[in-house]
Amino acid sequence: MPIPPAIAVALVLLLLVALGAMWFQNVATEAARWRAHTLQVRLELSELRSDVLEISRAVRGYVASAREDWLEPGRQAQRSAAERLQRLQALTGDNALQQQRLQALEQRLHTLNALDEAVLRDAQQRGFRAAREHIASTSAPTELAAMKALLEALDAEELRLLHSREAAAQRNFDLAVAITALGSLLSLALVAWAGWGQQRSLRRLGATVRALEQAQDQLGAAHARLQGQAGQLAELNEALWRSIGDGEARQPASPSPQRLDDPDRLEALRRTQLMDTAPEEEFDRFTRLAALSLQVPLCLISLVDSRRQFFKSSFGLGGELAGTRELPVQASFCQFVVTAGEALVVEDAQRAPPPRYDGPVPAGVGAYLGVPLATPDGLVLGSFCVVDDKPRQWSAAERATLERIAQSVLAAIAVRMQLQVLERHVARRTAEVQLLAGAIKNSLNGVCIVNVQGRFTYVNDAYAYQFGYAKAEEVAGMALAEHCADPQTAATIVGELHAWGACRRELTARRRDGSRFEVLMDMYLAQDESERDVYVGTCMDITERKRAEQALRLSEERLRLALEAAHMGAYEVEGGTSRVQRIGSLYASLGLLREHDGRDFMQRVHPEDRHTLQASMAGLNPRQPGYSLEYRLRTPQGAWVWLADHAQARFSLDGTLLRQIGINMDVTARREAEAALKAALAEKEVLLQEVHHRVKNNLQVVSSLLQLQRRQLQDPAVQAAFTETEQRVRAMALVHQRLYQQNTLSALNFSDYLRTLADQLVRSFGAERRVRTALVLQPLQLPVNAAVPLGLIVTELITNALKYAWGSTGEGELRIALAESAAPGPHQLVLEVRDDGAGLPPDLDPAQSKGLGMRLVTLLSRQIDATVENLDGPGTAWRLTVPLEAQPPQQPPTLPAAPSSAVA
């Protein structure tokens, strides 16, 4: 039967209506996509705004508090801001205006980062005060305001685009409705006109068509809503799982085949903290919904680890399993959902179980449908499954329904994990806040919070005590200016806080009783829980420190004046560096800076002295921490000056040099005086040698004259007297001969002198063959004033021995001993002269002797405070004990007058 033309036209119109509905569905999908796109862009803009504020806040917090932990959030915010700019540029690539704004924003961000880096360099190189002054002088607030305006413009543009697209979608929707209505009306009119003759049947047909169209529209709308909800749910799941992960956006991964003992999957399952937990209504409502929606007696949320499956929620589970809520993994269909990474559909479990299932199928399990519960990373935690008690063919719609509910289950798991993370974070932050509150309350430094009106809202006990209040509550509500000796100081502090965000100032404060004291106030701008600006500060009593600083300045001034008065200088060398600090006017005259590198100083030291100075400095150690030396230094005029350097070093416990402190003194004048003195002494020594030489020559002349006179005499007695006098003169001449022949003129090597004197006397008597000389002489140096009298005494004693001990032809031994006395008491010299001859006559008393020789011995021994003893034989022995400490007389020895018989 051919179709009437009117019916054909009506069908074409209906087809066009259907095509219009499909086009509208595409438009609605595109509108949903743009809404998600706009939401993502606005989220990125919001996070970028937070990053920009965090960068600025971190730098100012670091400069204000000098704490390094402020910088790490700022560095993270800098990296995050750069990444967000790149993502925003990718998201708005089709909008030239937005791209221009993003480029301007990127330039502003680079400028702000450069300003902050400059502030950080000032803080490291010049100190935090210079950094805060730098902050006040930079254009950072202007840059922040400009960036805020750009961010608001970007956000407004996105909202405008969204509104325009929404309006376009609405217009399209209205157009589609109009087209659908018009097409439907035209189709109905054509059908009515074509079937006028079959009115009743055609009316029924028209009613059926209208019902089908309405059902089709409703079904399309419902399908669109379900698709939108599914997409939104997937996005929500992805955002939730990202929030409990590392926070990085990743492309969602589809579930893939994986082992039951896969470490990553088990770790993800462990992080959910759902295994072996009690049932929760949040999950039970999903199992009820799925069971009722699909008309099944059993629904499970099954979590599968490497050895068992745990039922977190169940609907319709009875018997023993309702109590244990778990099964071995080998007896589970859910294991195949995990290992396959996809849905498992079993239509007849008794006859056709899963291929790798080896055990018996439990009774009451006729059909199974399970979908994976997978994270956005593709890790399968378990299965969301329904079980029918009879075989059943599962439709695609039933599977889609189960998958949508599974997405809700995953969202509930993510929300539960997020809540646990938040609870732990809240607990940790609460503990930190409690610790911080306790530290602030019990701090020895005052802590205060001031509102923007300049009134205290909080102070701790230490602050109240510093300002003379019994309780902290008494300070609340008071003005900051009331605690400043100068009220204008409070206004200055508030001005600096507004300009820089931080303020550090030393000021004179006023206590409750009106007394004043010095404090260090350190404040910074913050926000309270209501995001209102407040000033948080610490207050430290520095009165004692100020007094100590004043005392130190006074002490340094005294030291400086003392050094200038003495024309001296003091210096300090830092351990581990060559930096030197100096004080004193001495260094200005030498052209040395107060602070400079010590290596430059070493180049000005005389090359002959440089090694000695370097060795002394390098040899400093805890056991020898100091040195004293003198060296030459070149002045700027090119002259050389002598410096005395007395240094002392301080070391740490491990032996590391901490600092070296010393004083310098210009000793050039003393050195020149010493050189002049040495030259004068050398001249005097030459002169004395010449004097001794001439005295010796004169005595030699006297001796020669005596010898000539003796040869002309005929009387033997007179000849003997002349001979003895000649020997005495030679003994004195020998002293002066020895003096000018040696290096020293103040002392005489007396042992060498005795050796020569004894040999000379023995030869003068011609007794060198018959008298043996035994000398036991300890090397001793004697002053000239003691050596001359002792020489004359020894001459007399040796002469008496050679004349009377053995006669003119006898033989014997003459023994002379010289040594320091070993007896306790004053330092003494012992001289012995001994012979083995006939000895003294029995009736002779040496003390009463009238002979010239013994009289000389007695007189000369008195002049040098010596004692003379006559020892027992054999022979004659004499001992002289001379105190070495006694100063001999300055005048030459006095000789007694010769007896008349000797002169005759």
Side-chain angles (χ1 to χ4, degrees):
M1 179 179 175
I3 301 175
I7 298 297
V9 174
L11 291 176
V12 171
L13 289 175
L14 288 176
L15 180 60
L16 291 176
V17 169
L19 292 175
M22 293 177 63
W23 170 76
F24 172 70
Q25 182 177 0
N26 291 333
V27 171
T29 302
E30 183 68 15
R33 187 181 71 81
W34 278 111
R35 282 195 297 272
H37 174 272
T38 303
L39 177 60
Q40 185 174 2
V41 171
R42 295 190 69 196
L43 285 174
E44 292 291 345
L45 289 173
S46 177
E47 294 294 336
L48 180 59
R49 183 184 294 108
S50 299
D51 291 339
V52 170
L53 293 177
E54 181 61 30
I55 292 172
S56 178
R57 187 181 299 113
V59 172
R60 283 152 179 77
Y62 169 69
V63 172
S65 62
R67 290 172 49 190
E68 292 286 344
D69 55 356
W70 277 90
L71 292 180
E72 184 58 28
R75 297 191 181 102
Q76 293 179 358
Q78 285 181 350
R79 296 191 291 270
S80 177
E83 295 172 359
R84 295 189 191 283
L85 275 173
Q86 294 177 359
R87 289 199 290 271
L88 284 169
Q89 290 172 349
L91 290 172
T92 60
D94 57 348
N95 191 327
L97 179 59
Q98 294 291 76
Q99 288 292 315
Q100 292 176 0
R101 288 171 177 163
L102 286 174
Q103 290 176 1
L105 182 62
E106 184 176 10
Q107 293 176 357
R108 294 284 185 179
L109 180 59
H110 288 165
T111 302
L112 180 61
N113 288 336
L115 292 174
D116 290 341
E117 290 297 330
V119 170
L120 292 178
R121 285 194 300 272
D122 277 357
Q124 294 174 358
Q125 298 174 3
R126 299 169 54 198
F128 290 99
R129 181 180 293 277
R132 290 193 287 269
E133 294 175 355
H134 192 165
I135 290 175
S137 62
T138 60
S139 60
T142 304
E143 295 295 332
L144 286 174
M147 294 176 72
K148 183 178 179 181
L150 286 172
L151 289 170
E152 290 175 354
L154 288 165
D155 189 61
E157 177 65 16
E158 288 298 323
L159 285 176
R160 187 191 66 78
L161 292 174
L162 177 61
H163 291 158
S164 64
R165 293 183 183 114
E166 291 287 347
Q170 184 63 38
R171 288 194 300 271
N172 291 332
F173 174 74
D174 296 339
L175 179 60
V177 171
I179 291 173
T180 302
L182 180 60
S184 299
L185 291 175
L186 289 174
S187 298
L188 290 175
L190 288 172
V191 171
W193 177 74
W196 182 262
Q198 300 175 354
Q199 185 174 5
R200 293 183 63 183
S201 58
L202 290 177
R203 286 178 180 174
R204 288 195 297 269
L205 181 59
T208 303
V209 170
R210 287 192 298 272
L212 288 174
E213 289 175 353
Q214 292 176 359
Q216 183 179 1
D217 293 339
Q218 292 174 358
L219 183 60
H223 181 70
R225 287 195 300 271
L226 288 175
Q227 290 295 331
Q229 291 175 358
Q232 293 175 358
L233 189 57
E235 293 177 0
L236 176 61
N237 281 341
E238 181 183 351
L240 287 172
W241 283 93
R242 185 169 67 246
S243 67
I244 61 178
D246 54 12
E248 296 183 2
R250 300 186 180 91
Q251 282 295 111
S254 301
S256 59
Q258 48 199 277
R259 302 192 317 274
L260 294 177
D261 59 352
D262 182 84
D264 293 336
R265 190 190 74 83
L266 294 177
E267 175 60 22
L269 181 60
R270 185 196 63 79
R271 288 177 55 204
T272 64
Q273 298 184 4
L274 290 174
M275 297 292 288
D276 300 320
T277 58
E280 299 178 31
E281 178 59 26
E282 290 295 323
F283 296 100
D284 292 343
R285 63 189 180 93
F286 295 119
T287 54
R288 286 197 303 269
L289 175 62
L292 296 175
S293 299
L294 301 181
Q295 297 297 312
V296 294
L298 180 61
C299 180
L300 301 172
I301 296 177
S302 176
L303 303 175
V304 182
D305 62 12
S306 60
R307 58 183 180 84
R308 62 185 177 125
Q309 67 171 359
F310 171 73
F311 305 133
K312 174 57 185 175
S313 177
S314 63
F315 178 83
L317 188 65
E320 184 180 352
L321 289 178
T324 59
R325 300 171 58 210
E326 66 177 36
L327 272 178
V329 73
Q330 295 81 6
S332 166
F333 284 6
C334 297
Q335 63 171 314
F336 303 111
V337 178
V338 176
T339 56
E342 60 184 8
L344 176 63
V345 180
V346 180
E347 296 180 345
D348 191 345
Q350 298 296 331
R351 294 183 179 182
R356 288 173 294 173
Y357 186 78
D358 298 331
V361 178
V365 179
Y368 175 91
L369 175 61
V371 295
L373 295 174
T375 67
D377 295 334
L379 300 174
V380 181
L381 306 176
S383 170
F384 183 55
C385 61
V386 292
V387 178
D388 204 340
D389 55 0
K390 56 183 178 296
R392 176 172 176 173
Q393 291 185 352
W394 304 101
S395 66
E398 291 173 335
R399 176 176 171 177
T401 299
L402 192 63
E403 288 177 346
R404 284 194 293 270
I405 301 175
Q407 289 293 327
S408 299
V409 173
L410 284 171
I413 293 175
V415 170
R416 184 180 186 273
M417 294 174 65
Q418 181 67 21
L419 288 175
Q420 291 175 346
V421 171
L422 289 176
E423 289 175 356
R424 290 194 296 270
H425 181 70
V426 168
R428 184 168 59 253
R429 296 296 296 175
T430 301
E432 292 176 358
V433 169
Q434 291 176 350
L435 289 175
L436 181 60
I440 292 175
K441 181 176 179 60
N442 299 304
S443 173
L444 296 178
N445 293 332
V447 179
C448 63
I449 300 176
V450 181
N451 59 20
V452 292
Q453 288 77 31
R455 295 191 174 274
F456 292 99
T457 59
Y458 169 81
V459 297
N460 65 348
D461 294 340
Y463 187 95
Y465 176 76
Q466 286 177 355
F467 284 84
Y469 294 90
K471 296 181 179 179
E473 291 77 8
E474 299 179 18
V475 185
M478 297 183 65
L480 176 62
E482 297 180 41
H483 290 179
C484 300
D486 183 4
Q488 185 61 30
T489 304
T492 303
I493 293 174
V494 173
E496 292 183 3
L497 288 170
H498 278 296
W500 303 340
C503 174
R504 184 181 181 90
R505 177 177 291 271
E506 295 181 359
L507 56 94
T508 303
R510 183 173 58 220
R511 293 190 178 93
R512 184 178 190 178
D513 57 4
S515 60
R516 299 186 177 189
F517 65 108
E518 298 296 322
V519 298
L520 172 62
M521 183 72 73
D522 196 345
M523 304 189 77
Y524 67 94
L525 181 63
Q527 289 185 333
D528 60 10
E529 64 278 1
S530 301
E531 298 187 354
R532 293 175 300 187
D533 289 344
V534 294
Y535 308 130
V536 181
T538 59
C539 182
M540 182 187 302
D541 187 345
I542 59 172
T543 304
E544 293 301 325
R545 195 195 77 183
K546 283 286 188 179
R547 292 174 181 170
E549 290 176 353
Q550 184 177 2
L552 179 60
R553 285 193 296 269
L554 181 59
S555 177
E556 291 177 349
E557 181 65 17
R558 290 172 178 170
L559 175 61
R560 185 185 64 80
L561 292 175
L563 292 175
E564 290 182 356
H567 196 57
M568 298 172 62
Y571 67 89
E572 179 179 354
V573 182
E574 296 180 4
T577 68
S578 300
R579 297 298 301 173
V580 181
Q581 295 183 350
R582 299 184 176 92
I583 58 173
S585 59
L586 171 64
Y587 299 117
S589 64
L590 297 177
L592 295 175
L593 301 176
R594 291 178 59 87
E595 294 187 16
H596 75 105
D597 193 340
R599 289 188 291 267
D600 298 337
F601 174 81
M602 195 61 67
Q603 297 301 319
R604 295 179 57 180
V605 177
H606 196 284
E608 296 178 1
D609 304 333
R610 190 177 302 157
H611 176 72
T612 304
L613 177 58
Q614 291 174 339
S616 299
M617 295 176 66
L620 292 174
N621 55 69
R623 289 178 296 179
Q624 186 179 352
Y627 66 83
S628 295
L629 55 86
E630 296 179 358
Y631 50 84
R632 287 162 287 182
L633 187 72
R634 187 178 64 252
T635 65
Q637 293 77 25
W640 293 99
V641 297
W642 280 93
L643 284 184
D645 189 351
H646 303 279
Q648 195 73 16
R650 182 180 179 185
F651 296 86
S652 62
L653 295 178
D654 59 356
T656 302
L657 177 64
L658 298 178
R659 63 180 54 87
Q660 176 186 335
I661 300 175
I663 60 171
N664 292 126
M665 183 169 56
D666 187 349
V667 295
T668 305
R670 195 201 71 195
R671 280 278 187 167
E672 293 175 350
E674 289 178 353
L677 181 61
K678 288 180 180 179
L681 288 176
E683 293 176 358
K684 291 182 179 180
E685 287 179 356
V686 172
L687 180 61
L688 286 175
Q689 286 179 344
E690 181 64 21
V691 169
H692 285 300
H693 181 64
R694 296 196 177 205
V695 170
K696 176 258 180 185
N697 289 341
N698 291 335
L699 291 176
Q700 188 66 38
V701 170
V702 172
S703 176
S704 299
L705 291 174
L706 290 173
Q707 185 178 8
L708 290 174
Q709 185 65 38
R710 174 174 57 81
R711 290 176 179 176
Q712 295 178 0
L713 296 174
Q714 301 298 325
D715 188 348
V718 176
Q719 286 184 346
F722 269 83
T723 300
E724 291 177 2
T725 303
E726 181 182 343
Q727 291 171 351
R728 296 183 183 107
V729 171
R730 286 180 180 177
M732 291 186 292
L734 184 60
V735 171
H736 292 282
Q737 179 181 351
R738 290 295 181 185
L739 284 174
Y740 80 78
Q741 287 178 347
Q742 66 184 16
N743 294 329
T744 58
L745 301 175
S746 60
L748 179 68
N749 187 343
F750 200 66
S751 58
D752 185 56
Y753 169 78
L754 289 180
R755 188 175 289 105
T756 304
L757 180 63
D759 181 69
Q760 180 178 296
L761 290 174
V762 170
R763 289 180 180 276
S764 66
F765 279 91
E768 62 271 14
R769 293 186 178 181
R770 58 186 183 88
V771 176
R772 298 183 304 278
T773 306
L775 303 176
V776 183
L777 306 176
Q778 179 181 347
L780 289 176
Q781 296 286 334
L782 294 183
V784 176
N785 293 334
V788 172
L790 275 177
L792 291 174
I793 292 174
V794 172
T795 298
E796 296 300 326
L797 296 178
I798 293 176
T799 299
N800 287 339
L802 292 174
K803 286 171 61 178
Y804 304 115
W806 304 284
S808 59
T809 59
E811 296 181 357
E813 181 182 72
L814 177 64
R815 182 178 182 84
I816 303 174
L818 177 68
E820 291 184 85
S821 174
H827 197 196
Q828 294 179 334
L829 172 70
V830 177
L831 175 65
E832 290 186 2
V833 179
R834 181 186 296 271
D835 62 64
D836 57 355
L840 294 176
D843 56 349
L844 177 64
D845 183 5
Q848 302 298 325
S849 173
K850 302 297 183 178
L852 180 60
M854 292 307 300
R855 290 173 60 194
L856 281 174
V857 170
T858 301
L859 291 174
L860 293 173
S861 62
R862 290 175 182 173
Q863 289 182 6
I864 59 175
D865 294 331
T867 58
V868 181
E869 301 178 70
N870 180 229
L871 304 179
D872 294 337
T876 304
W878 301 94
R879 174 184 293 169
L880 276 80
T881 304
V882 183
L884 293 181
E885 289 80 6
Q887 294 295 328
Q890 299 300 317
Q891 68 276 8
T894 303
L895 298 179
S900 56
S901 59
V903 175

